[in-house]
């Protein structure tokens, strides 16, 4: 039996209530989620790209600070409420 891609559902769940950066998501896996589910950088970012291509999440680039820090924030698109 083929294994379902559970990571996409974990990411969608994280983005359900607030916008997060990829860094914030990685930190959540290191702290809170890490006890139950492991995912590394090479799994998280490609999955976020796929979710964005499927129009399930939205990406916004925010430039802030004196050093013009570029930060990509991601948020869930409310596709299930249509």
């Amino acid at each position: 039996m083929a294994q379902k891609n559970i990571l996409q559902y974990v990411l969608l769940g994280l983005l359900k209530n607030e916008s997060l950066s990829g860094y914030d998501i990685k930190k959540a896996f290191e702290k809170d989620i890490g006890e139950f589910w492991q995912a590394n950088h090479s799994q998280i970012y490609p999955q976020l790209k796929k979710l964005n291509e499927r129009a399930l999440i939205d990406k916004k680039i925010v430039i802030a600070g004196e050093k013009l820090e570029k930060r990509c924030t991601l948020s869930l698109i409310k596709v299930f409420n249509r």
Side-chain angles (χ1 to χ4, degrees), residues 3 9 11 14-15 18 22 32 37 39 41 48-50 52 55-57 61-64 66 68-69 74-75 78:
Q3 181 181 358
Y9 300 111
L11 295 173
L14 284 171
L15 295 168
E18 63 181 320
D32 304 326
W37 186 267
H41 181 275
L48 289 172
K49 181 180 177 185
K50 288 178 187 176
N52 184 252
L56 293 175
I57 62 172
I61 296 178
V62 178
I63 299 175
E66 292 180 13
L68 296 177
E69 173 188 337
L74 304 153
S75 58
K78 306 276 185 195

Side-chain angles (χ1 to χ4, degrees), residues 3 13 15 25 30 33 43 46 53 70-71 73 82:
Q3 181 181 358
L15 295 168
I25 292 170
E30 290 174 359
I33 302 169
Q43 294 172 300
E53 289 170 352
K70 227 166 75 165
R71 182 173 178 145
T73 59
R82 291 185 189 174

